[in-house]
């Protein structure tokens, strides 16, 4: 499916073609830190199917547990994480689903690094809920 999106301040925009069956959650501690939250949701787009339309992301290269160097692209103005990819000659861009306008249709199908998942993530339904700002 075709998606489009961008960062919070509007500096970075993109379009992409993705397979909604490939949406995944990552519970690794790097994703927890880099997203600033409990887990990250991403969908891969092949090199030829991901197009930056505006702005230039800043790149932070992290070294994964495997030793792989991964480029973390984010907006230099507002800090929104946009995608991760191989640090050199990337063939796949793992788009951060929260930046896509179609995020509600991009339902995760798989979870990785569950060994470091917060143990409450499977229990969200039991928490008190508010339609808007919690009181
Ligand atoms: Zn921005
Ligand atoms: Zn991760």
């Amino acid at each position: 499916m075709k998606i489009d999106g961008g960062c919070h301040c509007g500096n970075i925009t993109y379009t992409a073609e993705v397979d909604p069956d490939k949406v995944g959650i990552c519970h690794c501690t790097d994703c927890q830190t880099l997203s600033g939250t409990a887990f990250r949701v991403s969908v891969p787009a092949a090199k030829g199917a991901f197009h930056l339309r505006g702005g230039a992301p800043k790149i932070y290269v992290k070294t994964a547990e495997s030793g792989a160097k991964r480029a973390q692209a984010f907006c230099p103005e507002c800090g929104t994480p946009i995608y991760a990819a191989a640090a050199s000659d990337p063939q796949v861009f793992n788009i951060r689903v929260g930046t896509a306008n179609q995020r509600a249709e991009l339902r995760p199908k798989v979870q990785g690094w569950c060994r470091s998942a917060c143990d409450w993530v499977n229990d969200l339904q039991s928490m008190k809920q508010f339609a808007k700002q919690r009181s």
Side-chain angles (χ1 to χ4, degrees):
M1 67 183 272
K2 289 197 186 315
I3 64 168
D4 54 32
C7 68
H8 191 267
C9 77
N11 176 33
I12 310 273
T13 54
Y14 66 81
T15 58
E17 176 83 33
V18 299
D19 178 351
D21 286 334
K22 298 256 175 73
V23 181
I25 284 175
C26 186
H27 295 284
C28 84
T29 55
D30 282 351
C31 282
Q32 289 167 344
T33 302
L34 287 161
S35 70
T37 183
F39 58 86
R40 177 125 70 182
V41 188
S42 302
V43 65
K47 181 182 174 181
F50 177 71
H51 307 283
L52 279 170
R53 299 297 185 188
K58 187 169 167 61
I59 302 293
Y60 167 69
V61 177
K62 75 149 192 174
T63 303
E65 190 176 293
S66 65
K69 296 218 182 299
R70 300 283 298 167
Q72 312 285 315
F74 61 97
C75 174
E77 304 299 330
C78 70
T80 303
I82 307 293
Y83 66 81
S88 61
D89 193 25
Q91 300 298 309
V92 175
F93 293 81
N94 275 311
I95 299 168
R96 306 327 195 182
V97 163
T99 64
N101 293 321
Q102 296 78 12
R103 62 179 77 103
E105 298 160 57
L106 295 167
R107 194 182 178 89
K109 301 288 198 308
V110 64
Q111 306 180 63
W113 292 91
C114 290
R115 75 176 189 193
S116 48
C118 295
D119 64 5
W120 49 260
V121 295
N122 295 312
D123 199 28
L124 293 177
Q125 280 298 330
S126 72
M127 293 174 200
K128 194 171 179 182
Q129 296 178 38
F130 298 85
K132 296 183 83 173
Q133 178 68 36
R134 67 177 183 263
S135 55

